[in-house]
Amino acid sequence: MKRSLIGLLVVVVLSIVAIAVFGATSAINLYFPATDKATVTTPRHYIVGEVDTLRVMFLELTQAIQKSETLEVNSYHLNDDFVRIVKKMFDKNLLITNFTLTIQPKDPGKKPVILNTQCKAADRVDLRKFTQLPEFLKIYEKALADTAISTMKFEVSGLQGRMIDLTQARRREKMGRIFVFRIDLAPGRNDYVIRAMAAGWRIIEEKTVSFNYKPSFDANIEDIDNFTANNFHTGESEKVCAECHRMQPNAYEIGSTTAVTRMCYPCHAWETVGKSVHPPLTDWTCFYCHSASTPKVPGYPVSKARNSAETCFECHSDLKDLVDKAKVKHAPFEGGECMSCHTTHSSSQLSLLITDVNKLCLSCHEPKYAKDHPVMKHPLSGVRDPNNTKRELSCISCHNPHATENAKLFTKAASMSQLCQECHKK
């Protein structure tokens, strides 16, 4: 009887210890952002925290995404076009949860045919697994068998994610409990889910982190209740990094590009990747525009004197001459609002544009210009620019985004008829 009581006591004690160690503490502790609902003004950020490596084997960051594409069916190329669109829609590391294909017959009297297949997120179905599923193969065969098709509409839902394998020895040695996710934000609300998982993808804990990205070029994005401004380079946010890294540059380092490279490059190197990169960034002359942080003014701010068109004109003197002398000027350019359209570091677009040309223009101009402009069925994108075959046709194929001598900011012509003849030689 005495042994039974001792054995029971040991089990109880071990249970209490297990609860204390494994149940009472969070598997994921977030350092940055400091809030789970952050408002930010730049598209590139980090999510930083620590994880309980005793319990967690894998850490995953996912974002729910939806895409749709419409294919105008050409029976001669249907097979190739079908495959091309499916590959295009399924980004790297996309886990598929839903795929729908709506087939519109050429005969208007017939109803559309809707083909659908769903997957569980826990099954972790990527593009390779998905295209081998019997359900998808049936959809594929059905789509190609019917020759009386007008259009196909593809719709995909899934989770775009990245995984950290916490069991790797090199990773443990280098990072320990700390994890870092890099994220690129789209304008507006961006919701992410961090999942801590044990063996067999068993989820131990989930945390939701939301960002409201408000770029300067899009005035339509509104504040969201309970979202607060968040800046990494503050005394409180930097504390965890300051244990290993010196966060404040001294006077010598502010003036030395070599020292700036050592301080800024490890975290900001990804800013140097893109179709276009601002030369001051590749030279690492960060403190030409940024000021050193102080307790009263955190965040390495850009002074008002540097945050203006006059700073841009120091290098872009040709644009200074244009804004002074041109007859017709684009309002943001004339007002010195360079950063309404351009980023100061790097961009996935040409000319350091914040986003795609047409999307940027339509953020201010009426949506009607997205269709049948300047005449019915005239393409606005998706084809080569006849005057510059290295780029697609877009708003700037016809209009100068800065200033010009011509009406309506036409690039080369004084009138509409002359502009048309630039491509349609008569």
Side-chain angles (χ1 to χ4, degrees):
M1 183 67 177
K2 187 174 181 180
R3 287 185 178 180
S4 298
L5 288 174
I6 293 173
L8 180 61
L9 182 61
V10 170
V11 170
V12 170
V13 170
L14 290 175
S15 299
I16 293 172
V17 170
I19 292 172
V21 173
F22 297 113
T25 59
S26 174
I28 306 169
N29 290 313
L30 215 55
Y31 295 144
F32 182 82
T35 171
D36 59 359
K37 295 179 179 179
T39 296
V40 295
T41 56
T42 55
R44 286 179 163 177
H45 281 271
Y46 287 96
I47 297 177
V48 184
E50 68 173 5
V51 65
D52 185 346
T53 53
L54 293 177
R55 288 186 288 164
V56 182
M57 297 180 67
F58 305 100
L59 197 67
E60 184 178 54
L61 181 74
T62 61
Q63 183 180 31
I65 65 169
Q66 293 181 319
K67 290 185 173 185
S68 65
E69 284 272 357
T70 300
L71 170 63
E72 300 285 341
V73 172
N74 180 331
S75 57
Y76 295 104
H77 304 104
L78 179 56
N79 183 67
D80 292 340
D81 290 343
F82 188 102
V83 173
R84 175 181 57 80
I85 285 183
V86 169
K87 286 184 176 180
K88 178 183 175 183
M89 296 180 74
F90 288 62
D91 292 338
K92 185 180 179 182
N93 300 327
L94 172 65
L95 303 178
I96 297 122
T97 55
N98 185 77
F99 180 84
T100 302
L101 178 66
T102 304
I103 299 174
Q104 182 67 53
K106 289 180 180 177
D107 185 348
K110 291 185 178 181
K111 293 182 178 180
V113 177
I114 299 176
L115 306 172
N116 176 267
T117 183
Q118 295 184 341
C119 307
K120 295 179 182 178
D123 292 337
R124 311 188 67 76
V125 177
D126 58 12
L127 174 61
R128 183 172 177 276
K129 288 182 180 179
F130 180 72
T131 52
Q132 294 174 350
L133 291 177
E135 295 86 352
F136 173 75
L137 294 175
K138 287 179 182 178
I139 290 177
Y140 184 51
E141 290 170 4
K142 171 66 178 174
L144 299 186
D146 192 344
T147 57
I149 297 172
S150 171
T151 60
M152 291 183 182
K153 184 177 181 182
F154 299 78
E155 296 174 276
V156 174
S157 300
L159 301 175
Q160 187 73 54
R162 272 171 292 171
M163 176 80 71
I164 296 176
D165 184 352
L166 298 169
T167 64
Q168 292 182 345
R170 287 185 61 187
R171 198 263 166 209
R172 282 176 176 269
E173 181 181 348
K174 185 176 180 180
M175 299 293 290
R177 298 164 59 94
I178 304 297
F179 67 84
V180 178
F181 286 111
R182 298 191 310 190
I183 54 173
D184 282 295
L185 303 176
R189 180 163 179 163
N190 298 255
D191 295 320
Y192 293 90
V193 176
I194 307 174
R195 291 185 178 89
M197 295 179 288
W201 314 114
R202 181 174 61 84
I203 297 173
I204 298 172
E205 184 179 348
E206 292 186 343
K207 278 187 185 292
T208 300
V209 183
S210 300
F211 294 84
N212 185 32
Y213 168 38
K214 294 186 62 177
S216 57
F217 73 88
D218 197 339
N220 296 319
I221 296 175
E222 299 179 351
D223 290 322
I224 303 177
D225 290 342
N226 300 323
F227 277 63
T228 57
N230 212 241
N231 187 348
F232 174 74
H233 283 295
T234 62
E236 192 61 33
S237 294
E238 288 180 350
K239 277 183 180 178
V240 62
C241 300
E243 293 180 9
C244 301
H245 303 276
R246 189 165 55 81
M247 304 301 292
Q248 294 298 323
N250 56 38
Y252 164 74
E253 288 165 336
I254 290 173
S256 166
T257 56
T258 303
V260 168
T261 303
R262 287 199 302 269
M263 293 198 69
C264 304
Y265 184 84
C267 293
H268 296 282
W270 66 332
E271 290 282 16
T272 65
V273 177
K275 281 188 178 179
S276 52
V277 182
H278 205 199
L281 178 63
T282 54
D283 293 340
W284 292 99
T285 52
C286 305
F287 290 104
Y288 183 73
C289 291
H290 291 273
S291 303
S293 283
T294 66
K296 291 183 179 180
V297 186
Y300 299 98
V302 177
S303 66
K304 289 183 179 179
R306 309 300 313 158
N307 194 9
S308 69
E310 292 302 320
T311 302
C312 302
F313 292 151
E314 288 178 17
C315 295
H316 302 281
S317 56
D318 56 325
L319 295 180
K320 172 63 174 171
D321 294 339
L322 196 60
V323 77
D324 288 339
K325 299 174 182 178
K327 289 181 181 178
V328 183
K329 304 167 187 176
H330 195 199
F333 176 64
E334 185 178 19
E337 298 173 7
C338 304
M339 285 182 286
S340 293
C341 298
H342 301 277
T343 182
T344 53
H345 293 125
S346 64
S347 172
S348 59
Q349 308 294 325
L350 295 174
S351 302
L352 289 169
L353 290 177
I354 294 174
T355 188
D356 171 77
V357 172
N358 287 0
K359 185 176 180 181
L360 187 59
C361 296
L362 291 169
S363 67
C364 291
H365 295 279
E366 295 179 53
K368 68 180 182 180
Y369 293 112
K371 187 179 180 182
D372 298 335
H373 176 75
V375 294
M376 290 284 287
K377 295 187 178 180
H378 192 284
L380 295 174
S381 62
V383 296
R384 292 287 100 185
D385 184 339
N387 288 321
N388 186 345
T389 56
K390 293 182 179 180
R391 69 185 186 191
E392 278 196 2
L393 195 70
S394 68
C395 300
I396 62 171
S397 297
C398 298
H399 302 278
N400 189 306
H402 294 127
T404 179
E405 297 299 307
N406 305 313
K408 300 183 183 296
L409 290 169
F410 289 150
T411 51
K412 298 180 181 179
S415 68
M416 182 77 158
S417 60
Q418 288 180 10
L419 185 68
C420 295
Q421 289 179 38
E422 289 289 329
C423 298
H424 307 279
K425 308 295 183 184
K426 300 294 184 180

